[in-house]
Amino acid sequence: MNASSPIGIFDSGIGGLTVAHAVTRLLPNENIIYFGDTAHLPYGDKSSAAIQAYSIKICNVLLQQKCKVILIACNSASAAAYELVKEYVGSKAKVINVIDPVIDYIDHHYRGKTVGLIGTKQTVNSNIYRKKTDALGKDIVLKSLATPLLAPMIEEGFFNNNISESIIYQYLANEELSGIEALILGCTHYPLIKSQIDSFYKENITILDTSEIVAAALKKYLSQSSLLNNLNAYIRHFYVSDYTQSFERSTQIFFGEQIRLEHYPLWE
């Protein structure tokens, strides 16, 4: 590992691009290698064993690229595969998930308060956020709701319209989320519907954008480890396990700029 080595980021699809985008905004000099496992999306309805198998395969690709950090930019994979990936990678790279930085954030900002969480079935049913929140011992009440329609809806481009608004509002009106003071967007797709979530709550609830929190945690780690890349030139490479032109166009919406995707089948 050295400062100029790339940061590897992976997700089941394009949701992780919200994390990648936040990272490039905060760390513009860093080299980025992104892997979207589009052949197996979404991870939210997959078994833990399947997610673990996909994650290890992807990590092999990222380790071949000499990544200094592997960022699991998916809540479902963070819940199901983080410990296995960390053990598998060992000392070859630092492994960061998208859950622990959020837990650390609410530890410092929401002690004694009620916080909501929306995410995939895999993330919510794993109870990982609740276990980690309870372990803090800071009287934080966590209210969780699985919102399984949101990620595939966003993947298909249905956001910022009446269809998506109806589904989002239906979920957020659920009694399970009553009385919350902040809401964790427990899926990396969800920052793309943040404006609609803000609209539902009339901006009276703080919406915690996990992509920004995770990017800040990554910067802190690189700085403390003297691994910040100070070179002006950078490389950004984007792989997908299944390629379509429509998917490539969708990534431009997620990332905010034109991106060329390279097809990299995982199982060949």
Side-chain angles (χ1 to χ4, degrees):
M1 284 191 294
N2 57 63
S4 61
S5 297
I7 296 169
I9 303 174
F10 79 89
D11 180 34
S12 61
I14 48 182
L17 286 171
T18 61
V19 178
H21 196 204
V23 169
T24 57
R25 287 199 309 267
L26 194 61
L27 299 163
N29 293 333
E30 295 294 337
N31 297 310
I32 303 293
I33 297 176
Y34 181 88
F35 197 105
D37 188 13
T38 49
H40 302 109
L41 64 83
Y43 279 2
D45 60 4
K46 299 294 190 298
S47 68
S48 294
I51 294 171
Q52 289 169 358
Y54 304 151
S55 298
I56 293 299
K57 263 291 194 185
I58 294 167
C59 284
N60 278 330
V61 176
L62 298 178
L63 288 174
Q64 288 170 8
Q65 302 288 337
K66 308 296 183 185
C67 290
K68 60 185 176 184
V69 174
I70 293 178
L71 173 54
I72 307 175
C74 170
N75 279 266
S76 297
S78 292
Y82 170 65
E83 293 298 335
L84 179 64
V85 165
K86 189 169 65 169
E87 181 180 353
Y88 180 79
V89 170
S91 61
K92 297 173 186 174
K94 169 72 172 178
V95 180
I96 296 176
N97 63 55
V98 291
I99 296 174
D100 288 332
V102 176
I103 296 298
D104 184 63
Y105 185 88
I106 63 174
D107 179 25
H108 287 87
H109 296 87
Y110 290 95
R111 298 177 183 181
K113 296 185 178 181
T114 301
V115 178
L117 165 74
I118 55 174
T120 66
K121 287 181 181 179
Q122 170 67 236
T123 298
V124 172
N125 293 341
S126 72
N127 274 325
I128 190 165
Y129 274 96
R130 189 178 305 280
K131 291 173 185 175
K132 288 179 177 289
T133 300
D134 290 346
L136 295 174
K138 303 293 175 58
D139 297 320
I140 300 170
V141 177
L142 184 70
K143 294 189 173 185
S144 305
L145 180 69
T147 52
L149 291 179
L150 295 185
M153 176 188 76
I154 295 169
E155 287 276 357
E156 292 297 328
F158 288 98
F159 53 94
N160 296 326
N161 57 37
N162 291 335
I163 296 174
S164 60
E165 184 176 286
S166 176
I167 296 173
I168 294 165
Y169 284 15
Q170 187 74 22
Y171 277 134
L172 298 180
N174 193 296
E175 279 296 312
E176 292 293 328
L177 296 176
S178 63
I180 63 173
E181 298 167 80
L183 180 67
I184 299 169
L185 303 183
C187 175
T188 52
H189 290 73
Y190 296 177
L192 287 168
I193 56 172
K194 185 174 182 288
S195 61
Q196 289 171 292
I197 295 172
D198 272 328
S199 177
F200 175 85
Y201 288 114
K202 304 188 187 312
E203 300 187 358
N204 292 321
I205 299 296
T206 302
I207 310 302
L208 302 181
D209 186 336
T210 54
S211 61
E212 295 176 355
I213 294 172
V214 171
L218 173 60
K219 182 178 181 180
K220 181 179 179 181
Y221 164 74
L222 293 176
S223 178
Q224 291 176 343
S225 305
S226 299
L227 286 174
L228 282 171
N229 187 15
N230 295 316
L231 301 176
N232 289 326
Y234 60 82
I235 297 170
R236 291 174 187 163
H237 209 128
F238 297 83
Y239 296 102
V240 286
S241 54
D242 186 29
Y243 172 80
T244 65
Q245 285 188 333
S246 62
F247 189 88
E248 185 169 49
R249 288 193 295 269
S250 295
T251 62
Q252 297 175 27
I253 299 172
F254 278 70
F255 204 74
E257 62 184 68
Q258 188 165 356
I259 292 171
R260 187 182 68 83
L261 303 178
E262 181 176 336
H263 186 206
Y264 194 113
L266 278 181
W267 303 104
E268 293 183 0

